Amino acid sequence: MAIVYQAETKTFFLDGAGVTYAFCINEAGYAEHLYWGTAIPHDDLRYTCARWQLWQITPPGQDETATYQSYAPELAFFGTGDYREPAVLPVNEAGDRLCELLYASHEILPAKPAMAGMPSMEGGETLVLHLLDSITGFAADLYYTVYDDCGVIARRVVYRNTGNTPVILRRAYSFSMEVPGQDYEVLTLYGNWAAERRIQRTPVHHGVVAVDSKLGMSSNVLNPFLAVVETGADELSGEAFGFSLVYSSSFVLKAQGTSFGNALVTGGIQDFDFSWTLDAGEELETPEIVMAYSDEGIGGMSRAFHRAFREHLINKRYVKASRPIVINNWEATYFDFDLPKLKAFVDTAQGTGIDTFVLDDGWFGKRDDDTSGLGDWVVNGQKLEGGLTPLIDYVHSKGMKFGLWFEPEMVNEDSDLFRAHPDYAIGVPGRQRCYGRHQYVLDLTRQEVRDCIVESVNAILHTHAIDYVKWDFNRPVAEFYSLGREAGRQAEFAHRFALGLYDLCRRIVEGNPDIIFEGCSGGGARFDPAMLAYFSQIWTSDDSDAEERTRIQYGTSLVYPLSAMSCHVSVCPNHQTGRTTPFATRGHIASLGATGYELDPTRLSVEELEQVRQQTAAYRETEALVLEGDLYRLDDPFTGNYFSFLTVSPDKTQAKLTAYRRLVEPLQEVKRIRLAGLAPDKTYTIPALGIRATGATLMRVGLIPVFGEGDFQSVQYMITAE
Ligand code: GLA
């Protein structure tokens, strides 16, 4: 039994792999958090409950020693004396915003019920805690799922109106969680186009540290992730509490240093520009938060997320399957291509180990640049005479697979779709719409708009032998307004947009199970766990410069497994930075994910084509390490001149080190890399360096990588147990 209710102490113990989570129902009927950390026995933990009553508010009808503010909350509410960040704010019929959510009952379910409208982790024993405001009938069902194969806990809330009158939710977060003490830093991922997921560390302080999105997408500005880590925690040591929201629209996550000396974490759906009406009998499902605990530093937290997402979130059919090695024509041709040109790419790629040709933007409608054509998913006969089939047949005849780009959620003003249905594009009547890359976002909150998208995308997918789809989303929402909704419900838009997107994904992605889907969003601007539930891999960034990629992939790996990141070798000088890096380095960095090439293969030299052969062969040989290995980040390119990733097989018999030196320095120290994650008593060989040593030695003493001459050099070493 992973979930136990101890009746005499009214305590719930949730045991996952290596972790325990505990809370009790206290004397006030309040769900009071007790512990989350390394697995412990089921002792009575209520002695940790702090009781402060100096100058605090006493909730109605309770003993004057009681005050909600001093209880560590499972779900904090407002209006009865708790002034920390509340998780929920309902507006009742009288206009008051009170709710006192206290214990009503609970259930322990052998398996987690799927969510109706949103993606979430699968499986696992689940506790449903029913909290109720007995005056209004406003209720919150808190779901907790634990897993015996990974140290994460998945939580979410379903808010229910069991009363007789409507309730307007002005805030509806997914959880509250308090960690003891305040000696922590908040770790978050920020960025921009071509600079996704940079790491930021901010001390927890009295007040709130928040990350959020108001873009209608999870965005590259801030990722829906936040961790609270012990001050000074590094990759291998220190406690880390990570929170990753399974959500793709506007969100918020907050860490608050409370006046009682603890750190409260909370968040979920963005509540700026949000309100949601629950009529009598209605409910609102909130997105799931995946919480990963580690006492082995930030690296341990990442490995817990990676394992959880691989085992319980990403499509089982593809997650551990050998991935396509693609050649994508975007940077090679942009919009300028025709059938002979593409056939030449395929001819050259054949036999190099590249096994999938992906035709990017520009194959449909009147699409010669980015000002027109989006929305018209019909083949552009001028570029592709005879349609897509001759090209697809050609690719297949060469033993390769065929992939195709779509941007289903968008429309250009210059398109047949917009001419027929201008109202499908998001906008406010009487106002000119905002442009982004010359395009508008379609109103996914409307059923007829979604039906139209599904019909036109599926018309292509159902009539062609397509093996792979790249699904792009190149601009955020601006106006957050739908013609299909009454004035009082317009602030439901951002969340309804997410629900519309998930509906599209169910009908197009899950409706075409033989196609592997790659996510994309002007690079990696919608890289979140909800998208990963549909897209087994996501284009990590439009910045394909190997040097930039070391930071982008390092930051992304804080939460997401390597197999989730699409990483391509592109030409030099690089199109985003103008930088020139060695072909071998580009190959090494791109091998740390779902790999591929984004260049004109007909322009590669004989030597470079030979390198492609070697890179793809080496990739296939150790692909399991990308798909299933444990990741150890050994050198941080944000803080030093080096980047190194070690991937270790789960049984610790195989490992691969990828190390990179940014700049050569004339009086350079001898760089030593201490390995990690090996079995101390196993003997390993590293043929490239002539080393034979135990895991203990390699982890304590380390090894010295031998870089070539010049800047941007890298090495890859196989490490094999005897
Ligand atoms: C986005 C993607 C690119 C490419 C272009 C096509 O920018 O990130 O990879 O597909 O769109 O327009």
Side-chain angles (χ1 to χ4, degrees), residues 72 74 255 323 459 491 539 550 581:
E74 289 297 316
R323 297 293 175 86
W539 182 228
T550 59
T581 54

Side-chain angles (χ1 to χ4, degrees), residues 187-249:
L187 211 72
T188 52
L189 297 170
Y190 72 98
N192 208 326
W193 176 79
E196 290 88 346
R197 290 168 292 283
R198 287 162 184 262
I199 299 172
Q200 178 167 253
R201 279 175 97 132
T202 320
V204 164
H205 57 74
H206 287 272
V208 176
V209 178
V211 288
D212 77 340
S213 156
K214 301 180 187 74
L215 290 85
M217 62 197 289
S218 46
S219 99
N220 52 22
V221 181
L222 289 157
N223 198 256
F225 158 78
L226 178 152
V228 170
V229 305
E230 227 178 304
T231 301
D234 59 22
E235 279 298 311
L236 295 169
S237 66
E239 280 193 297
F241 304 85
F243 302 84
S244 171
L245 190 68
V246 188
Y247 196 51
S248 313
S249 189

Side-chain angles (χ1 to χ4, degrees), residues 83-313:
Y83 301 100
R84 294 167 297 187
E85 276 295 315
V88 56
L89 192 69
V91 183
N92 301 313
E93 203 194 13
D96 68 281
R97 280 89 56 222
L98 298 195
C99 73
E100 217 178 345
L101 289 166
L102 300 177
Y103 177 82
S105 63
H106 72 268
E107 300 160 72
I108 296 174
L109 310 174
K112 176 170 178 264
M115 289 170 73
M118 278 186 279
S120 63
M121 301 246 296
E122 280 181 8
E125 203 172 309
T126 298
L127 166 69
V128 191
L129 181 73
H130 301 286
L131 304 180
L132 179 70
D133 179 278
S134 57
I135 308 288
T136 60
F138 180 63
D141 293 343
L142 280 60
Y143 285 72
Y144 298 81
T145 303
V146 284
Y147 296 89
D148 53 15
D149 58 357
C150 53
V152 305
I153 291 172
R155 286 187 57 182
R156 65 188 166 96
V157 182
V158 177
Y159 293 103
R160 291 189 294 124
N161 180 2
T162 70
N164 301 319
T165 54
V167 169
I168 299 169
L169 285 168
R170 294 221 319 242
R171 174 176 290 188
Y173 289 170
S174 299
F175 71 110
S176 302
M177 168 72 219
E178 202 167 88
V179 285
Q182 261 175 13
D183 194 7
Y184 300 106
E185 291 165 297
V186 182
L187 211 72
T188 52
L189 297 170
Y190 72 98
N192 208 326
W193 176 79
E196 290 88 346
R197 290 168 292 283
R198 287 162 184 262
I199 299 172
Q200 178 167 253
R201 279 175 97 132
T202 320
V204 164
H205 57 74
H206 287 272
V208 176
V209 178
V211 288
D212 77 340
S213 156
K214 301 180 187 74
L215 290 85
M217 62 197 289
S218 46
S219 99
N220 52 22
V221 181
L222 289 157
N223 198 256
F225 158 78
L226 178 152
V228 170
V229 305
E230 227 178 304
T231 301
D234 59 22
E235 279 298 311
L236 295 169
S237 66
E239 280 193 297
F241 304 85
F243 302 84
S244 171
L245 190 68
V246 188
Y247 196 51
S248 313
S249 189
S250 304
F251 71 91
V252 62
L253 289 170
K254 300 174 180 172
Q256 178 182 33
T258 71
S259 53
F260 293 98
N262 295 325
L264 175 78
V265 185
T266 188
I269 296 172
Q270 168 68 277
D271 51 318
F272 168 78
D273 193 30
F274 170 82
S275 104
W276 193 279
T277 304
L278 284 184
D279 285 330
E282 284 186 346
E283 61 182 43
L284 175 70
E285 232 174 14
T286 65
E288 187 164 76
I289 187 90
V290 180
M291 313 194 335
Y293 169 80
S294 163
D295 57 6
E296 289 176 11
I298 298 160
M301 173 199 74
S302 298
R303 288 186 290 281
F305 277 131
H306 297 174
R307 205 177 159 75
F309 293 159
R310 288 193 305 225
E311 299 300 327
H312 302 287
L313 182 76

Side-chain angles (χ1 to χ4, degrees), residues 586-630:
R586 283 176 264 157
H588 286 160
I589 302 301
S591 74
L592 296 168
T595 201
Y597 295 79
E598 181 127 354
L599 40 70
D600 179 347
T602 66
R603 295 193 176 191
L604 291 179
S605 66
V606 175
E607 294 74 34
E608 284 171 332
L609 277 172
E610 181 48 34
Q611 284 198 60
V612 173
R613 264 181 219 104
Q614 288 169 10
Q615 288 170 352
T616 57
Y619 182 80
R620 283 287 184 238
E621 223 172 279
T622 54
E623 190 176 4
L625 289 171
V626 168
L627 298 173
E628 297 176 61
D630 286 322

